[in-house]
Structure formats: structure tokens, C-alpha cells
Amino acid sequence: MESNGKSVTLSGGLVDTSTGPIVWGEPGTNGQHAFYQLLHQGTKVVPADFIAPVESLNPIGNHHNLLISNFIAQTEALMRGKTEAEVRAEGVVEALVHHKVFEGNRPTNSIFVDRLSPKTLGALIAMYEHKIFVQGSIWRVNSFDQWGVELGKQLAKSVLADLGSSDQVISHDASTNSLINHYRSVKAPSVEKVAHRATEFDKIVLRHASKARAEVLLHGGQVISYSTSNFAEQLFVSAMSALSQGKAVRGGVPICFPQFATRGPLPQHGLLRQSDGWHVVEATADEKAVSVELRHVDNAATRAVWPHSFEVTVCVTLTEGDLSMAMKVKNTSEDTFSFTCALHTYIRVADVRRSAVLGLAGCSYEDTTRGGRLCTESAAAIVPEGEIDRVYISAPDEVCVIDEISLRRFVVRKQSFQDIVVWNPWVERSLRIVDLPNDAYKQFVCVEVGQIHEPVTLHPGGEWTGLQSFSVEAVTAEQVHREVHLSRSWVNLACQVPTPRPHLFLTNALHLHF
């Protein structure tokens, strides 16, 4: 309609009629179920244009004739209507008589085009543009100025400035102030300290402008949530976690230091994952990244079981594409000490039995379920089929978990951490874990970066830093088949073929892949 909607004529006088039709439309039967009821029996008369091609671009049997019959019949019905006498003559029950009366005399234009083509579409647009010009001439209004829009454009300048402000906006009316402040609070990157609803602990909520979000619990200093604009929660946290002082949280990304698991005299996974000694050092937020830095230093409780002074800093950074955790350990004592550590990441999956860890083929690993036996990984796709607890030594810097049901790939990257742990307790072990529901083992697989096989030794004043980052992306069913099922079948076949007949393995392998 261009800019015909005016209340003042070219000469400055007031217009005494409507100068701007409200235009909307839908194709075919979509329109019938959207607004045809309004056209037939609504309280406002709505002139309508019906447009149809004589030749269908998708000829299927008698389908096009069926559509054209509705096209013609609807315009006929709008013109003719149906009187009360006609309705009664049909034997309609009295309660429905008035509902089936149609006023008729509803104006329509029927436009047939030979075929829907770029030329036809252009001709229709040109016709409607000319219609606007003719209407403007009849109504004596300017069809091509937009003074009414200018006010909004002028106000938009101040709104734009307020969107970029860091202060609470109060310069507009109450409604506009509320809209601006709400938009900024939701969209703006932020780091916020809030109370965890289920506990007395505080948590840090990181929000990126892309809608990516993460939560870090000060108790234990661990990440407990990570989601993106395209993917919902990516980390598993047990519904039975104690979430109380002195207790570790089961799930998220617990921090293991200065001992991994029970590989030493200290409590399992060390001193920090159940500590309330974490505090915020710094928080930053901009369009590129949102981050918070937490720190834990030694105290009387830690020195009672591990007689060393230390400083552990964890920096959690959220961007549009990934979440990273940098862990720095500093020796602040006068003595040399050694430690092991890990970032114990619980990756949420729809069903662990239909997920796979990729990227560890050929690596040596310590199998904890077999007394620490040293093995070599032969599987290109590790699909848990029972309890798995392995420390992969000098593992690659990138591995991934593919979730077949949700069709996503969770990628884990590391720097300076030498090892990767893959863990799932399966059925029997789960029954012995008091803060894990019996069947919750299906909902996660732990892929943990760590420094485990060879401890780190720090002299007084020395520092060590390790980095983990992870991201999530969609995969197709074809990728799952190629990356998981084919590679898994290859390995299973290789294990089944007797070694004296290698030619049989080669033949079957080629048949499998081609």
C-alpha cells in the first residue's frame, strides 16, 4: 500500500474516508482455515482479491481442478450468501438457523493468470503498485511520503542510545522504560551472583549475548550447567546430589585436586570439590565473551590433610561457540610438592548405550575395572556396554562424544592436560553410589581431561596451567552411521576373525565399508 494511509489531503484538509486498506493473505486452503470465516460472516466488509493460475506447476491427477472449484465457489458464496428462508428450507434445526445465515454481497475480485511465473508475479506487483497510485490520486493524498514514520525513527535514536547504556533507563514512559530494561537484562552479556534455589550456596550465572548460558556453583567451584542458543542443557547433575556443606556435587564439572580418584592417601578426588573456600576474583562481560575467575587458597582444613600452601585459580569463559575452563595451580609454600588433577566433566546424553566416544583409537590406557591393567584402545568408537573406567595416557588434544538419539556431537579439547578419563558406572556400580538414581547412569558419560598418569611437580613459586574447552554441534543420522556404527562394526569384526586367516578379515572389511 506504499504510504497511502493519510488523514490529510495534499492541500492540507482532512480526509473524510479510509485511505489505507489493511492487506494480508494466505495461499489456498491455508486461508480458508485462517480468515475466510471473517470474510463470510464478520461484522466488517472486507473486499478481497482471489488469484489463481490456470496451469498448475505441480499437476497431480484432478487436484488442481479441486482447488479451482473451491477458488470459484468461495467467491460465489461471498456474493450470494444464504437467506434465513433458504436455511430453514434445508431443514436445519432451529438452534443453528441464525448461525448458518450469510449476508452475502461481500465484494471480491477474481484474477486468473495463465501460469505462476516470474513474469506473472512481476505483472501482479506492478498492477498493485499502479493501484496505489490511482487510489492516491482519487483520495488526493501523497502516496510516496512517510511523515508518520518519521516520529518513530526520531524516537528510535534515543532508544538505541539507551540500549547501549549500562544504567537503568528511566527517561521514557513506564512501559517503554520497562521494555528497554527487560530487553537489556535478557540480551546483554552478564555475570550475576545469585542464590542457588535448592541450597544455601551462591552460584555465578554467565549469560552471553548469543543466549549461551552457564552456571558455576561457588560450593566446589564447579560448573553445573551449560547450554547454548541451539542446544539445551549439556551437563548432567544428579537429582540426588546432597547440595549441602561438606558434600560433593554429583555432576557438572567437579575439580579434582591435588589427587585424582583414590590414587593416594587423600580423600577421593582431593580437597576442593566439596569445599566452600572458593571466592570470585574477577568477572568480565562483553559481546565476545563472558567470564568469571574463582580462586581457592590453602586453609587450616586443607593443611590438616595435605601440609602445603597453594593457590588454585579456575577461569570459566563463555562465548557463543564454547565454554572453556583454565585451571592454574601455584605453589605458595616453601617446599616442593606434586599433585594430580582433573576436570571431571559429566556429559549429558539421551542414552549412554547409544552414544560413543571418538578420537582415542591407538591410545594406551589404564583399565581401573581390571586392576589398572595397561591396554591399547582398538576401537575407533568406544560405545559403553558395561562399567567403563579408563585413564587414557598422553591422549589426543581433541575427542568427542556423539549422542545418536539427540543427533549432536560434544567436542572436548585440552591443552597441557596429558590424559583423558572415560567413565560410566553402569548398573551394578550405580547401585553403590548413594547420590545417583539407579538408572541415571544412562544419562551421562564422563570424559575428563586430567594430569593423572604423571603427577605435576612444582617448586616454590612455580605455576602450572591446563585448559579445557567444549562445544556442541548437530550431526546427521548419516554421520552417526559413518562415524559410530561402521567403525564399531569394523572393530568387532576384527576381534572375531582368527589370526591365521587375515585374508578373511580383509574381504569382510571391504564388504562392510563398500
Side-chain angles (χ1 to χ4, degrees):
M1 59 178 275
E2 196 62 39
S3 296
N4 269 355
K6 302 293 196 310
S7 59
V8 179
T9 66
L10 287 169
S11 60
L14 294 179
V15 175
D16 59 2
T17 186
S18 172
T19 59
I22 299 171
V23 180
W24 76 95
E26 276 283 351
T29 52
N30 289 354
Q32 286 188 199
H33 294 285
F35 53 80
Y36 276 31
Q37 176 61 40
L38 169 66
L39 300 181
H40 282 286
Q41 292 181 304
T43 57
K44 185 176 180 64
V45 174
V46 182
D49 290 349
F50 284 69
I51 307 171
V54 173
E55 180 185 345
S56 173
L57 296 179
N58 298 286
I60 302 174
N62 199 39
H63 186 250
H64 192 59
N65 283 346
L66 290 172
L67 293 175
I68 293 298
S69 67
N70 278 271
F71 166 84
I72 295 173
Q74 288 290 350
T75 60
E76 182 184 18
L78 285 164
M79 177 191 69
R80 288 181 51 182
K82 184 179 287 188
T83 66
E84 185 175 331
E86 289 175 321
V87 174
R88 291 185 189 280
E90 293 176 353
V92 174
V93 296
E94 187 62 31
L96 294 179
V97 168
H98 293 293
H99 295 280
K100 293 201 170 187
V101 172
F102 296 85
E103 184 181 76
N105 201 31
R106 301 289 173 115
T108 63
N109 292 314
S110 295
I111 304 172
F112 271 122
V113 297
D114 292 339
R115 190 173 187 267
L116 182 58
S117 64
K119 181 179 180 180
T120 302
L121 183 59
L124 286 169
I125 293 172
M127 181 189 73
Y128 282 110
E129 281 289 327
H130 183 65
K131 173 185 174 182
I132 296 300
F133 170 75
V134 172
Q135 288 174 334
S137 299
I138 294 172
W139 292 324
R140 300 296 296 161
V141 299
N142 190 334
S143 301
F144 304 102
D145 65 28
Q146 291 187 321
W147 300 118
V149 180
E150 290 301 316
L151 176 60
K153 290 182 177 179
Q154 291 168 6
L155 294 175
K157 294 178 181 178
S158 64
V159 171
L160 180 60
D162 289 333
L163 292 178
S165 171
S166 58
D167 301 323
Q168 190 79 354
V169 175
I170 58 174
S171 57
H172 303 265
D173 61 273
S175 175
T176 304
N177 288 337
S178 178
L179 288 171
I180 293 171
N181 290 323
H182 175 75
Y183 174 83
R184 290 170 59 228
S185 68
V186 173
K187 180 172 178 59
S190 65
V191 182
E192 183 182 8
K193 186 177 182 181
V194 299
H196 190 285
R197 276 186 285 179
T199 70
E200 68 271 25
F201 306 124
D202 288 331
K203 66 179 179 181
I204 309 299
V205 179
L206 285 71
R207 295 184 179 89
H208 189 265
S210 66
K211 302 299 183 185
R213 190 176 187 275
E215 295 181 5
V216 186
L217 196 64
L218 286 182
H219 175 69
Q222 72 185 76
V223 174
I224 58 170
S225 176
Y226 170 55
S227 60
T228 71
S229 58
N230 297 323
F231 297 93
E233 183 57 62
Q234 299 301 302
L235 300 178
F236 169 85
V237 175
S238 171
M240 293 177 63
S241 283
L243 293 176
S244 57
Q245 212 165 31
K247 300 291 186 179
V249 175
R250 172 74 60 185
V253 190
I255 296 169
C256 306
F257 173 89
Q259 174 184 298
F260 177 76
T262 55
R263 297 177 174 230
L266 301 181
Q268 181 167 326
H269 291 318
L271 310 173
L272 304 186
R273 69 184 182 126
Q274 55 195 31
S275 172
D276 298 326
W278 292 91
H279 65 277
V280 177
V281 177
E282 183 181 17
T284 61
D286 58 37
E287 293 297 321
K288 292 184 178 180
V290 182
S291 67
V292 63
E293 186 175 294
L294 306 180
R295 183 167 295 158
H296 194 299
V297 298
D298 59 283
N299 52 40
T302 65
R303 289 191 295 272
V305 292
W306 198 57
H308 300 289
S309 297
F310 64 87
E311 183 180 279
V312 174
T313 302
V314 174
C315 184
V316 181
T317 302
L318 178 67
T319 69
E320 180 177 2
D322 65 17
L323 182 74
S324 65
M325 300 176 65
M327 179 180 180
K328 182 171 74 173
V329 180
K330 182 176 181 180
N331 184 349
T332 58
S333 67
E334 297 179 354
D335 303 313
T336 298
F337 64 69
S338 297
F339 66 90
T340 55
C341 63
L343 298 176
H344 196 320
T345 305
Y346 285 72
I347 300 171
R348 179 179 288 274
V349 293
D351 189 334
V352 71
R353 297 166 299 181
R354 294 182 63 183
S355 64
V357 181
L358 279 67
L360 293 168
C363 291
S364 298
Y365 66 89
E366 298 174 3
D367 191 341
T368 305
T369 66
R370 301 166 72 182
R373 180 177 175 180
L374 191 63
C375 306
T376 299
E377 183 58 72
S378 60
I382 304 167
V383 180
E385 296 177 330
E387 181 182 355
I388 184 169
D389 191 353
R390 302 172 181 175
V391 178
Y392 288 87
I393 303 166
S394 298
D397 286 340
E398 179 175 312
V399 299
C400 70
V401 175
I402 289 188
D403 187 343
E404 179 180 1
I405 295 176
S406 64
L407 291 177
R408 66 183 178 88
R409 177 190 285 112
F410 191 98
V411 182
V412 181
R413 302 175 181 88
K414 66 180 178 68
Q415 294 178 22
S416 295
F417 289 105
Q418 290 186 347
D419 310 318
I420 284 181
V421 177
V422 178
W423 177 70
N424 182 277
W426 215 251
V427 182
E428 292 184 6
R429 178 85 178 273
S430 291
L431 297 177
R432 302 195 298 269
I433 301 176
V434 296
D435 58 356
L436 188 68
N438 290 346
D439 62 348
Y441 74 92
K442 300 175 185 176
Q443 301 170 25
F444 69 88
V445 58
C446 287
V447 176
E448 316 159 30
V449 302
Q451 192 69 32
I452 300 166
H453 184 67
E454 294 184 8
V456 176
T457 298
L458 286 182
H459 299 292
E463 295 182 358
W464 173 89
T465 300
L467 177 69
Q468 167 184 265
S469 67
F470 37 79
S471 59
V472 59
E473 59 191 26
V475 295
T476 65
E478 290 75 12
Q479 287 175 298
V480 173
H481 180 70
R482 182 174 64 251
E483 297 181 29
V484 178
H485 293 294
L486 288 182
S487 58
R488 184 184 181 193
S489 299
W490 180 292
V491 170
N492 289 345
L493 186 62
C495 293
Q496 294 167 9
V497 174
T499 51
R501 300 175 63 190
H503 64 280
L504 180 61
F505 165 67
L506 179 60
T507 302
N508 284 336
L510 288 173
H511 174 72
L512 176 65
H513 281 268
F514 298 100

